[in-house]
Amino acid sequence: MTGTVLGPSVPSRGVPFPRRRRWRPALAAGLAAVAAVAAGCGGPGRSGAGAGGSPGPPAPAPTSPTTAQAPAAGRPLRWAACRGGQGPAGFECATLQVPLDPGDPAKGTIGLALDRHPATGRAVGTLVVNPGGPGVSGVDWLGLAWPALPLPIRQHFAVVSFDPPGVGRSDPVTCGTPRQLDAYLTSDLMPTAPAGWSALASLDRRFAAGCVARSGRILPYVGTIDAARDLDRIRAALGEAKLSYLGFSYGTLLGATYAQLFPRRVGTMVLDGAIDPAVGPLAMLAAQTRAIEAEFDAFAATCAAGRCGWRPASTAAGVVAAYERLLARTARRPLAAPRSGQVVDRTVLLYATVAGLYVPAAGWGALGQAIAAAARGDGRPALAMFDSYVGRYAGGGYANTIEAETAVDCEDAPAPSLAAIEAAAPAVARQAPVFGLADLESEVQCTTWPVPATRRVGPIRAPGSPPIVVVGSTHDPVTPYAWARSLAGELAHGVLVTRDGYGHTGYFASRCVQQVVDAYLLSGRPPPAATTCRA
């Protein structure tokens, strides 16, 4: 999970969000069922760039966001009603052709899928929203999230979302068959010996080879810098001189990268559930793991008090111990599941647990009930949460969330060596005995990745931008509050808004945060420094 940060999939008020680096999870905000919604807007994918079969071209040389060149203004978008009943009523869809490789037009273009809902009242502009991930379909997410957006936003903005390159309908990265993904996602996440780490690396190499075989042409061009350049092409195609942007979770990294590349093209920008790009992979993992563990301890306390649907003990420590025993039991004897070939083992239960922690209001009760059922031998509720989190359809197929997320994360930042990951294991296991090793395992994939990283770890300043609002929640289990605080300080004109509460991201969890953010988006005037929302 280090790296990816999807967001709550069954977030507060039912709005699915997205996450950041595969924990081998893959969606965003928690249970992220967004990618499982089959809403087919957007149309054709890349033209002139084959879908794979050969290893991809050499990766672009690593670049710093400050070296990016401004893309030329594109043609206006041609919006039309989403076809075939695939998009919700009132939504329009479009496709924007962008260069696969801006430095080599001969490589063709990729079609970015977009959707929008026009303003219901007097429009003041267009708001582009990214739900997180990476790997979550913004096109799917917007249809689900639209009813939960505050009335002033729906009245005064045309709200647009899109699938970044490699995601959803924008030439999706694919790496394996559903059966292969089943094996990949249910492998043991908690190695305790060198042989276990080597087995993980071997599995990850096979996964990476599948990505090259199926999507080699696009793999070098799906990183956050690529997506940020495409975001500017979207701004131009929308006819907007400045970008108004609301990004959640991974969407904060995309927004901050855009601000570094094009600071004077930022109009208003809100980054909710912030990732700090100055934090290296292992330090990010350590901080995120501590946050997840703390959230689980808080969940255990509610269970001990009889408020989560599972009460194996009368103290939080007793609940944690009972959960660890259940993990050990499912590792030895997985629970049978109703679908052929599916079982609920330790890995599936870990995924389901992380999913339920994203949004306390919507997830903690469901999580408690799922764990209670697993303790009785019924793995179906946990399996449903696992499926939702990793984007697995009822028929056994997958959204491409996991594959796209891995491709973006591994292209974005240099991975530590396998030796460094193994060396970190004992300390991680001591600091976070429930989730530490499973989270650390997520770093192994990028040690095997065939495309070199193109984004350097380091602070983003965005000099010359207007004020940028950064929202952090004090008990966020996926993007720790410290990251929001540090990102706001690193930005030349960052303004921190604090939500005092649990759960991933703040906008859909707090009416106070909504009012602060909406006032800023509509007026352009940032809130006072050190604004805090206690509900």
Side-chain angles (χ1 to χ4, degrees):
M1 207 162 38
T2 325
T4 295
V5 178
L6 280 109
S9 170
V10 177
S12 81
R13 308 195 191 171
V15 182
F17 267 93
R19 195 196 71 232
R20 190 176 152 72
R21 177 179 298 168
R22 132 195 124 99
W23 201 84
R24 281 257 215 32
L27 225 60
L31 300 166
V34 184
V37 178
C41 301
R46 169 185 65 214
S47 67
S54 62
T63 56
S64 162
T66 57
T67 66
Q69 297 192 2
R75 297 177 180 175
L77 289 164
R78 298 176 61 184
W79 296 98
C82 299
R83 296 188 299 274
Q86 295 174 316
F91 281 78
E92 300 171 325
C93 293
T95 301
L96 177 65
Q97 296 295 328
V98 300
L100 182 67
D101 180 354
D104 186 356
K107 290 178 180 167
T109 63
I110 176 174
L112 297 183
L114 301 94
D115 65 350
R116 75 170 178 183
H117 196 294
T120 61
R122 183 180 62 83
V124 299
T126 300
L127 177 67
V128 179
V129 185
N130 181 277
V136 173
S137 168
V139 170
D140 288 343
W141 178 87
L142 183 58
L144 297 175
W146 168 259
L149 288 171
L151 184 61
I153 297 300
R154 288 182 284 150
Q155 283 181 325
H156 300 302
F157 284 105
V159 182
V160 170
S161 196
F162 69 105
D163 290 354
V167 175
R169 295 165 188 78
S170 298
D171 201 351
V173 171
T174 57
C175 302
T177 65
R179 187 176 295 275
Q180 289 169 333
L181 289 175
D182 283 343
Y184 175 67
L185 289 169
T186 57
S187 59
D188 188 13
L189 293 175
M190 302 177 73
T192 56
W197 290 104
S198 297
L200 279 174
S202 178
L203 183 70
D204 287 340
R205 276 191 290 273
R206 289 197 297 273
F207 178 84
C211 300
V212 170
R214 291 171 169 82
S215 298
R217 290 290 301 273
I218 194 174
L219 283 188
Y221 308 108
V222 299
T224 299
I225 289 177
D226 300 286
R229 289 172 174 145
D230 288 341
L231 180 56
D232 197 56
R233 295 183 177 93
I234 291 171
R235 174 204 57 77
L238 291 169
E240 298 288 347
K242 305 278 187 178
L243 176 71
S244 293
Y245 179 84
L246 173 59
F248 299 97
S249 202
Y250 163 78
T252 68
L253 179 61
L254 175 58
T257 302
Y258 180 92
Q260 180 80 343
L261 287 165
F262 310 109
R264 300 189 187 281
R265 297 181 190 172
V266 175
T268 55
M269 178 171 284
V270 178
L271 309 177
D272 183 4
I275 295 169
D276 181 1
V279 179
L282 287 180
M284 178 175 284
L285 177 146
Q288 189 183 60
T289 299
R290 289 193 298 270
I292 293 167
E293 202 91 1
E295 194 89 352
F296 185 74
D297 289 344
F299 163 75
T302 67
C303 294
R307 300 198 306 271
C308 87
W310 180 55
R311 194 170 189 250
S314 58
T315 65
V319 172
V320 172
Y323 178 78
E324 290 179 307
R325 290 193 297 271
L326 179 60
L327 284 178
R329 195 167 82 223
T330 55
R332 294 189 305 269
R333 296 188 304 276
L335 306 175
R339 290 196 301 271
S340 173
Q342 284 290 101
V343 297
V344 174
D345 58 10
R346 176 168 62 182
T347 297
V348 170
L349 189 56
L350 280 167
Y351 272 125
T353 302
V354 173
L357 291 177
Y358 272 79
V359 185
W364 285 15
L367 174 59
Q369 293 166 19
I371 296 173
R376 297 191 303 269
D378 181 2
R380 288 174 295 179
L383 185 61
M385 296 176 81
F386 167 86
D387 285 351
S388 178
Y389 196 47
V390 301
R392 191 178 192 277
Y393 302 125
Y398 283 86
N400 90 309
T401 309
I402 289 283
E403 295 141 304
E405 176 188 25
T406 303
V408 174
D409 278 335
C410 292
E411 184 177 333
D412 260 9
S417 68
L418 183 59
I421 293 171
E422 286 187 59
V428 167
R430 285 194 303 272
Q431 293 171 1
V434 178
F435 300 100
L437 283 178
D439 210 3
L440 183 63
E441 181 280 337
S442 70
E443 287 298 332
V444 175
Q445 177 69 80
C446 291
T447 69
T448 71
W449 201 246
V451 179
T454 57
R455 185 181 62 79
R456 295 187 178 96
V457 173
I460 283 181
R461 307 291 187 195
S465 78
I468 294 173
V469 171
V470 180
V471 179
S473 298
T474 55
H475 300 284
D476 190 315
V478 185
T479 52
Y481 175 65
W483 295 353
R485 196 171 53 219
S486 56
L487 177 60
E490 291 157 14
L491 289 166
H493 303 289
V495 179
L496 178 65
V497 172
T498 298
R499 177 178 73 93
D500 187 3
Y502 287 88
H504 183 39
T505 71
Y507 185 74
F508 287 103
S510 167
R511 188 171 300 279
C512 168
V513 171
Q514 285 186 353
Q515 290 172 343
V516 169
V517 165
D518 294 352
Y520 160 69
L521 290 172
L522 288 164
S523 71
R525 294 187 294 273
T531 294
T532 297
C533 288
R534 305 198 182 279

